[in-house]
Amino acid sequence: MKKLIKKLIKLNIKKLYVIDNNEYNIFRLKNSIDMDKYKKKIEFSLTNIENVDLLNLDFKRIKPNIVFHAAALKHVSFLESNIRQAVLTNVIGTYNTILSAVNNQTKYFVHISTDKAADPKNVLGYTKILSEYVCHNFKDTKMKIGIVRFGNVFNSYGSVAETFKSRILNVKKIKLSSPNVERYFMSIDEATNLIISTLELISENKNLKRCRTFICDMGTPIKIK
C-alpha cells in the first residue's frame, strides 16, 4: 500500500522494508518516493510470500519489530475462476508470513482483511476469513496480532472507481447489477490511518487479547448509481 509506506517513512522509525512479488509495483513505488532523501531508511525485496523458505530468509535478515501484512488477491470476479491461486495467496501466503514473523521474534503483526470476511458469500470472503483464522491460530505466541477489516477503499489501485473512471474517459456506459446496489466506502487516508491506529491499539493496550479483530464504523452505505 503506497500511501501507508509514504506515511510510515516519515515517522521516527529505524528502517522500513518493503516486500513485494511484483517488480513493477516496486519500480512505481521507488519513483514516487524521494529516494535521495530516504534511501538509507527504506529497502526493497522482490520476494513471493507463497515461498516460505525465501520469505523466512528475508525475515531472518531483517528481524522486523512490526509487520504489516497487506499482500492479497482481492478482485471478486477474478478469484471466482481462480480459486486455487486465491487460497495459495490469501491463506497459505498469510500463514507463511505470520509464521516467518513468529520465527523471527516480531513483536506486532497487523493483518489487513476485508468486510467481505463477515458472512462470506464468495471466494474472496472465504479466503480472507480463513486468513483471519490463520492469525488466530497464533494467538498463544508472544507476538500481538491485530486484524483490521476494510470496506471498499475508494480510488485505490484496482478498485471499481478505476474501472468507472476508464469507462467515463472513453465515453462508455457503466453497467450496474442493480440500480439499488450499495457499497461502503472509505478514503485511502482513512484506510491508512486505520492500519496505524490498529498498531497503536495492540502495542499500547496491555489488556487486549493477543489476537484481536478491529472493524471500522464506515457510516452508511453509498448507492453506486
Side-chain angles (χ1 to χ4, degrees), residues 9 29-39:
I9 203 171
L29 180 60
K30 288 181 75 171
N31 279 349
S32 69
I33 293 174
D34 186 349
M35 292 303 295
D36 291 332
K37 182 178 181 180
Y38 294 115
K39 62 182 177 181

XYZ file of all heavy atoms in Angstrom, residues 9 29-39:
101
model
N 7.281 6.099 6.329
C 8.665 6.520 6.111
C 8.958 7.884 6.739
O 10.104 8.217 7.035
C 9.000 6.520 4.597
C 10.503 6.398 4.401
C 8.466 7.755 3.908
C 10.914 6.176 2.964
N 6.732 2.443 -6.937
C 6.844 2.970 -5.583
C 8.131 3.767 -5.407
O 8.127 4.872 -4.845
C 6.785 1.831 -4.568
C 6.901 2.220 -3.093
C 5.778 3.169 -2.698
C 6.863 0.972 -2.223
N 9.224 3.230 -5.891
C 10.515 3.924 -5.782
C 10.485 5.265 -6.505
O 11.060 6.249 -6.042
C 11.637 3.044 -6.339
C 11.985 1.856 -5.464
C 13.104 1.034 -6.050
C 14.443 1.718 -5.879
N 15.559 0.815 -6.268
N 9.790 5.293 -7.649
C 9.701 6.537 -8.414
C 8.811 7.575 -7.744
O 8.893 8.769 -8.063
C 9.165 6.259 -9.817
C 10.245 5.758 -10.756
O 11.426 5.804 -10.437
N 9.856 5.256 -11.915
N 7.953 7.126 -6.829
C 7.046 8.060 -6.150
C 7.617 8.569 -4.824
O 7.002 9.396 -4.156
C 5.690 7.389 -5.897
O 5.803 6.357 -4.923
N 8.785 8.063 -4.456
C 9.432 8.444 -3.186
C 10.712 9.208 -3.478
O 11.418 8.920 -4.441
C 9.740 7.183 -2.344
C 8.452 6.515 -1.880
C 10.614 7.512 -1.136
C 8.667 5.193 -1.180
N 11.013 10.193 -2.642
C 12.278 10.937 -2.754
C 13.404 10.034 -2.254
O 13.771 10.054 -1.078
C 12.203 12.228 -1.928
C 13.426 13.123 -2.121
O 14.414 12.648 -2.716
O 13.397 14.270 -1.653
N 13.958 9.217 -3.147
C 14.964 8.242 -2.752
C 16.282 8.888 -2.322
O 17.038 8.300 -1.551
C 15.209 7.254 -3.892
C 14.031 6.336 -4.184
S 13.504 5.361 -2.739
C 14.940 4.329 -2.464
N 16.559 10.081 -2.804
C 17.763 10.783 -2.349
C 17.673 11.099 -0.857
O 18.663 11.061 -0.130
C 17.947 12.090 -3.135
C 18.315 11.828 -4.592
O 18.929 10.779 -4.851
O 17.988 12.670 -5.443
N 16.441 11.364 -0.421
C 16.214 11.713 0.982
C 16.078 10.472 1.862
O 16.547 10.460 3.006
C 14.952 12.571 1.089
C 14.632 13.037 2.494
C 13.391 13.924 2.491
C 13.063 14.417 3.894
N 11.839 15.279 3.887
N 15.435 9.435 1.328
C 15.082 8.286 2.175
C 15.823 6.990 1.832
O 15.482 5.933 2.352
C 13.576 8.017 2.065
C 12.718 9.111 2.641
C 11.873 9.861 1.815
C 12.727 9.399 4.010
C 11.071 10.867 2.346
C 11.929 10.395 4.532
C 11.098 11.129 3.701
O 10.303 12.111 4.229
N 16.845 7.041 0.979
C 17.483 5.803 0.509
C 18.101 4.977 1.642
O 18.211 3.754 1.533
C 18.539 6.111 -0.548
C 19.699 6.966 -0.077
C 20.646 7.230 -1.244
C 21.797 8.139 -0.834
N 22.714 8.411 -1.979
